[in-house]
Amino acid sequence: MSSPLFADRPAPQPPERGEMDALINRTRLLRGSVDAVRRNTAAGDDDAVWRWQRALCDLAVHQLDDLGAHLNQLKAGRPDQPQESAAPERPLQDGTPPSRVGSAEWDLLSDEATWSDELYQIFGRPPECGPMSLDELPSLVFPEDRALLTAMVTGCLIDGSPIDGEFRVVRPDGQIRTLHMMGEPVLDGAGATASMWAVLRDVSELRRSERAVSESRDSVRRVQHIAQTERRLVTELQEAVLPSRTTSLRLTRDGRGALDLTAHWLPAANAAPIGGDWYDALELPDGDTLLTVGDLTGHGVGAASTMAMLLGALRGLAVAGIEPGALLGHLNRLLDTAEQPALGSALCARYRPATRTLVWAQAASPAPLLFRDGTGRALTQPDGVLLGATSGAGYEQAGVQLKPGDTLVLHTDGLARTDAEAAGQDRLLALAPRLTASDTSQAGARAVVGEFGGSGRDSAACVMVARIG
């Protein structure tokens, strides 16, 4: 049998045995390290990312197994010598250990074929049946891949082109295996093709691992795309309801009882999707001003869309002249009939500039804080029904007479959630000298945000600072 090389190509010398042994040992050590990483890859909160990491480890292990088998065959110096894998191979369904690489040569002059023992195992063909000719080989090839194999063989025999391609074969036991074939023509002394020599490698497990990596990567991308889309939708909804993180208004411009107002939204440190907390202010047809802060349970698109609906209902009821206590009752019934998210807390107030009075009702929300003459205090909470009651009753209201220069602070309970409730209120009240000395609501809001807007916030919050003219 002629050498599987071009006639004018010198035969390469085998590598030194000690050098090869060292390379094989390094491959085994690397394979063991990768396998240890695979075993220690723990499932996290993101299942898609974990599956992608596991698939990458599996692919690396398969590639190193192939490399170890090739190096051992190279060490043996003959393609038909038994191969010692870098790690134990998993058997095929019939219990036969898989052989990854085999070789064959087809003599065109004598029409004889020679297969290595490994090639019989790859094709699942008994050695006593003998090798298959090039004309018989397509009978085992997957129907969709026969044209590809024919084109590769024809190009090699007629044009002298090397073979490098993959096709699938159907073994007698019904298994479909993917083979990578590399070959070239063997020329005679006259330069004509005398035979074709090829090495066939079973890459079924490798391709399966690559598909697993690709599918898991696509899954991660889909999850990330969905999350990005949700964040964008939530942001757009929030911006439609709350035009910016900080809003400054000067309401009731007739002079007496003018209301200078600044509201601020503080994000959570964990960058969770926004949408649960709101603030709102609206000058009503009769000259009064609606002030409201609150929060919904949950986050994301559902919370943001519910918040938009809620604020629309609040404004509509207030424009219709509904007082804060009855307004909260209607709001409670509205959300009781809706799916999650539910109302976490709410405070609705109506400021009357003609008399400088504030009337408010609250549901599981912190009471308004009043700052005057360098000191601050929480306003007495009105008696009210429990949040979530379905009796149809409204909420009790409370009122307070305000003076020029007074500062009011309305906020959601997330503002000081990292503290105990009393400690958080104490921190707010300790800002009294700064708040009462401020000439504008913006300066007061900056003082509150400076105290509570740090990077360690557990949850989002809204705060509204109002200064009475």
Side-chain angles (χ1 to χ4, degrees):
M1 183 67 67
S2 56
S3 171
L5 298 165
F6 289 102
D8 59 349
R9 186 180 300 172
Q13 297 300 315
E16 294 292 336
R17 189 176 187 85
E19 180 183 350
M20 183 59 64
D21 287 339
L23 185 56
I24 291 172
N25 287 334
R26 287 199 297 271
T27 302
R28 287 175 173 169
L29 290 173
L30 181 57
R31 201 274 189 194
S33 298
V34 174
D35 198 37
V37 171
R38 179 175 60 172
R39 290 194 304 269
N40 294 331
T41 301
D45 295 334
D46 193 333
D47 290 339
V49 172
W50 175 77
R51 287 193 297 269
W52 171 69
Q53 292 172 341
R54 289 281 298 183
L56 276 179
C57 289
D58 289 340
L59 176 60
V61 167
H62 285 308
Q63 291 173 327
L64 289 170
D65 285 347
D66 279 352
L67 177 60
H70 302 336
L71 291 175
N72 277 290
Q73 193 174 46
L74 184 61
K75 174 184 174 182
R78 288 174 54 87
D80 56 352
Q81 290 295 313
Q83 301 176 35
E84 180 186 354
S85 300
E89 302 279 6
R90 288 181 291 179
L92 300 177
Q93 293 178 0
D94 61 2
T96 304
S99 296
R100 292 188 180 275
V101 181
S103 62
E105 186 165 357
W106 290 273
D107 193 309
L108 302 182
L109 301 178
S110 64
D111 202 25
E112 293 180 355
T114 304
W115 282 17
S116 69
D117 294 340
E118 290 78 15
L119 195 56
Y120 284 101
Q121 295 182 42
I122 289 173
F123 279 92
R125 182 177 176 85
E128 57 268 22
C129 293
M132 303 181 73
S133 67
L134 286 175
D135 292 333
E136 295 172 323
L137 191 60
S139 65
L140 294 181
V141 177
F142 207 69
E144 285 81 353
D145 296 347
R146 289 172 185 168
L148 173 62
L149 176 63
T150 300
M152 290 192 298
V153 172
T154 301
C156 181
L157 297 180
I158 296 179
D159 302 327
S161 303
I163 292 175
D164 188 353
E166 292 186 7
F167 56 90
R168 292 164 293 174
V169 297
V170 183
R171 290 164 48 99
D173 59 7
Q175 290 190 59
I176 298 176
R177 310 294 293 177
T178 301
L179 305 185
H180 186 184
M181 184 177 184
M182 298 184 68
E184 56 187 15
V186 180
L187 307 181
D188 59 16
T193 302
S195 63
M196 189 186 81
W197 177 84
V199 172
L200 292 98
R201 175 187 175 204
D202 187 338
V203 293
S204 304
E205 296 299 325
L206 184 62
R207 296 297 175 257
R208 189 176 295 113
S209 294
E210 289 174 344
R211 286 194 299 272
V213 170
S214 178
E215 291 169 0
S216 59
R217 181 180 61 243
D218 291 343
S219 177
V220 171
R221 288 174 177 172
R222 284 194 298 271
V223 170
Q224 292 174 341
H225 176 70
I226 292 172
Q228 290 171 355
T229 301
E230 179 176 333
R231 284 195 293 270
R232 185 180 68 253
L233 289 174
V234 170
T235 301
E236 291 173 356
L237 281 169
Q238 172 119 11
E239 289 176 350
V241 177
L242 307 181
S244 64
R245 182 170 292 185
T246 301
T247 300
S248 296
L249 299 170
R250 183 171 180 83
L251 303 175
T252 58
R253 298 178 176 82
D254 58 356
R256 175 178 173 80
L259 189 66
D260 177 19
L261 179 67
T262 298
H264 193 93
W265 176 76
L266 295 85
N270 61 5
I274 58 178
D277 293 77
W278 83 81
Y279 63 79
D280 194 25
L282 177 67
E283 196 164 9
L284 301 173
D286 60 2
D288 292 354
T289 300
L290 170 70
L291 304 175
T292 176
V293 295
D295 67 89
L296 298 171
T297 60
H299 299 278
V301 175
S305 59
T306 301
M307 181 175 68
M309 176 197 70
L310 178 147
L311 290 182
L314 279 173
R315 289 186 166 201
L317 292 169
V319 168
I322 306 298
E323 289 293 308
L327 191 153
L328 276 184
H330 290 305
L331 183 65
N332 204 32
R333 289 194 297 274
L334 174 66
L335 291 180
D336 276 345
T337 61
E339 297 181 356
Q340 293 292 330
L343 184 63
S345 65
L347 185 148
C348 291
R350 196 177 184 105
Y351 173 67
R352 298 187 172 97
T355 58
R356 290 195 182 94
T357 56
L358 181 77
V359 177
W360 81 94
Q362 62 192 96
S365 177
L369 302 180
L370 173 60
F371 296 86
R372 177 186 294 170
D373 299 331
T375 62
R377 63 182 178 89
L379 298 179
T380 303
Q381 298 186 25
D383 295 330
V385 299
L386 295 176
L387 184 65
T390 57
S391 63
Y395 286 76
E396 294 293 333
Q397 296 183 170
V400 63
Q401 181 68 49
L402 301 174
K403 298 180 179 180
D406 283 351
T407 297
L408 288 170
V409 174
L410 283 62
H411 65 91
T412 58
D413 60 359
L415 182 66
R417 192 166 288 170
T418 53
D419 297 329
E421 183 177 353
Q425 181 170 287
D426 289 344
R427 287 175 61 193
L428 273 169
L429 295 177
L431 297 174
R434 297 174 61 186
L435 291 175
T436 56
S438 300
D439 293 333
T440 65
S441 63
Q442 284 184 317
R446 283 196 297 269
V448 176
V449 173
E451 178 69 21
F452 292 95
S455 59
R457 298 194 49 76
D458 289 341
S459 60
C462 289
V463 60
M464 184 179 292
V465 178
R467 191 172 185 280
I468 310 301

